[in-house]
Amino acid sequence: MWSATALLSGVAVTLAGVTVGAAAVLPDDEPSPAALHLERATPLRELAAPHDLRIGASVQHTALAVDEDYRRVLLHDFDTITLENELKWAEVHPRPGVFALDRAEEVVDFATANGLRVRGHTLVWHQQNPPWLERARLGRDQAIELLRTHIETVVGSFRGRVAEWDVVNEPIDPSGRGLRDTLWRQMIGDDYLSIAFGLAHEADPEARLFLNDYDATSDGAVFDALIDLADELRRGGVPVHGVGFQLHLDGPVDVDRLARQVARAGRSGLTVAFTEVDDRLADGAGAAAALRQARRIAGVAGVCVAEPACRAFVLWGLGDAYSWVPNAFPGYGAATLFDHQLEPKPAYHVLAEVLRTSGDGAASPVRSGGGR
Ligand code: XIL
């Protein structure tokens, strides 16, 4: 579809054009809002670096291929990406024994060529599975063999290029009590977790391996349970390195509780990543709602900056045009930091401000754990 090299040279030319004056490259074009932003703003990744914090965005293959502003904003502001869909089972394992890794390869190539760290998402999940897997109902041994083939192939293909994996996504029951009853748990048993982590570790011993989940309860129970689960697995010698908190926000956040949870994970020796940050607003919500959104984003970013265990702050969707929210939550949208033209919104500016002003990043103690 597109080659990383062609893409890369296009970006280089355009970015140079912005720096020395867009007119030199694009004589007849008005600079886009995104291009104006690039001229003005200090990159988020530069503001985050003194805190030893990675700033990421989820990335979609199609957007990367067709939208030049998307590529430019990505490379300007971010140092980390998560592949939003391209590594999920339905995409990479469409039929039994058939792997389709081309689209993921192209995104990872682009990231590697541009020095972006890559989060792999995800190896075991109860959603976005191909129909054949949903129907499979395998016995335990067969299911373990299938998982082995999948993880060896997918993680093995990106060994050394994907720095960390969400090995198991959403393992906790939404109530916060116990494990979610997924097809993998039904086929294998509770040790599907330790088996999946063991296989991922074998396939890439350097990769940092995460449990990832969201918390829809009002009392923090899912994140508490996620940290408990990671602790329990680690006590059993399972190579779990971190927990991912998705943070798809839809209202006020208890930042004190979130900070306590991150700190607790850190005391257990876990790295924390905020893996899928967005904040959905009801359609038609006005400027005041955008400001409340900005305050919520500032709140969670403040936690990540202040807590040494938190090493990555990844936004879900680079711009409202590419957000999952309108599909997943009809009547809601505007959940990302950039509008439909990729112009930064108030939430972007407060995030930059939090990164710029919080603590004394440069002088903060050297953080332990983390990735490569
Ligand atoms: C979403 C993607 O953003 C959409 O494009 C896709 O149609 C559905 O999945 N939690 C997760 C992500 O872990 O994988 C989901 O991503 C959003 C919720």
Side-chain angles (χ1 to χ4, degrees):
M1 196 171 191
W2 43 266
S3 85
T5 324
L7 205 52
L8 190 56
S9 55
V11 169
V13 167
T14 312
L15 284 178
V18 169
T19 312
V20 299
V25 176
L26 300 167
D28 299 326
D29 282 357
E30 287 290 306
S32 66
L36 287 174
H37 155 63
L38 299 182
E39 276 181 34
R40 284 195 305 257
T42 307
L44 294 178
R45 60 186 158 77
E46 277 180 23
L47 297 173
H51 303 287
D52 201 8
L53 183 63
R54 293 269 176 175
I55 291 287
S58 71
V59 159
Q60 299 171 1
H61 178 280
T62 313
L64 206 52
V66 302
D67 187 339
E68 186 179 12
D69 277 342
Y70 183 94
R71 297 192 295 270
R72 298 198 304 181
V73 172
L74 177 67
L75 295 180
H76 178 261
D77 273 314
F78 300 94
D79 59 24
T80 294
I81 64 162
T82 301
L83 284 81
E84 189 164 327
N85 290 301
E86 290 74 11
L87 286 167
K88 292 172 179 172
W89 272 74
E91 292 252 353
V92 298
H93 205 156
R95 288 185 298 285
V98 175
F99 286 90
L101 294 164
D102 287 2
R103 285 161 58 89
E105 276 287 353
E106 288 180 345
V107 178
V108 172
D109 273 355
F110 174 81
T112 309
N114 288 286
L116 296 163
R117 190 173 198 265
V118 181
R119 304 194 77 255
H121 176 81
T122 174
L123 300 170
V124 177
W125 193 25
H126 62 284
Q127 287 184 18
Q128 286 181 274
N129 287 315
W132 68 267
L133 177 60
E134 294 285 353
R135 286 192 304 265
R137 300 289 147 213
L138 305 172
R140 174 178 160 91
D141 290 348
Q142 274 181 306
I144 292 173
E145 271 323 294
L146 175 60
L147 201 54
R148 175 186 305 283
T149 307
H150 182 85
I151 291 179
E152 277 177 4
T153 305
V154 177
V155 176
S157 298
F158 296 103
R159 183 175 170 144
R161 294 187 292 154
V162 170
E164 59 192 50
W165 283 95
D166 291 331
V167 176
V168 182
N169 196 29
E170 303 179 350
I172 305 296
D173 188 83
S175 68
R177 287 188 292 276
L179 295 177
R180 189 190 283 267
D181 201 23
T182 69
L183 78 164
W184 289 108
R185 184 172 179 235
Q186 287 163 11
M187 292 192 293
I188 296 177
D190 288 0
D191 60 349
Y192 83 96
L193 289 155
S194 54
I195 291 170
F197 275 86
L199 291 168
H201 186 61
E202 267 174 48
D204 185 352
E206 297 296 316
R208 314 301 291 171
L209 306 180
F210 281 68
L211 285 167
N212 191 49
D213 217 322
Y214 68 93
D215 199 341
T217 67
S218 55
D219 57 1
V222 171
F223 288 167
D224 284 341
L226 191 71
I227 300 166
D228 289 342
L229 176 60
D231 279 348
E232 185 189 323
L233 290 167
R234 283 161 65 86
R235 276 198 300 274
V238 179
V240 179
H241 305 111
V243 287
F245 296 170
Q246 292 184 8
L247 297 172
H248 296 290
L249 310 181
D250 63 353
V253 191
D254 186 337
V255 288
D256 294 331
R257 186 176 67 211
L258 187 62
R260 284 195 299 275
Q261 290 172 316
V262 176
R264 196 190 131 211
R267 284 194 299 277
S268 289
L270 292 159
T271 293
V272 178
F274 289 181
T275 51
E276 306 184 15
V277 180
D278 62 9
D279 184 309
R280 54 186 176 269
L281 301 180
D283 289 345
L291 292 177
R292 284 195 296 276
Q293 173 186 64
R295 277 199 287 276
R296 286 188 292 270
I297 295 290
V300 294
V303 171
C304 196
V305 169
E307 293 297 332
C310 191
R311 304 292 299 273
F313 188 85
V314 182
L315 298 157
W316 205 248
L318 182 51
D320 291 341
Y322 299 107
S323 169
W324 72 306
V325 164
N327 283 333
F329 304 96
Y332 289 81
T336 81
L337 269 53
F338 301 87
D339 70 11
H340 278 72
Q341 280 71 50
L342 285 168
E343 196 167 0
K345 302 196 301 192
Y348 172 94
H349 296 295
V350 297
L351 172 59
E353 206 48 29
V354 167
L355 294 170
R356 191 178 283 118
T357 57
S358 294
D360 181 359
S364 67
V366 173
R367 290 153 175 260
S368 60
R372 52 189 180 186

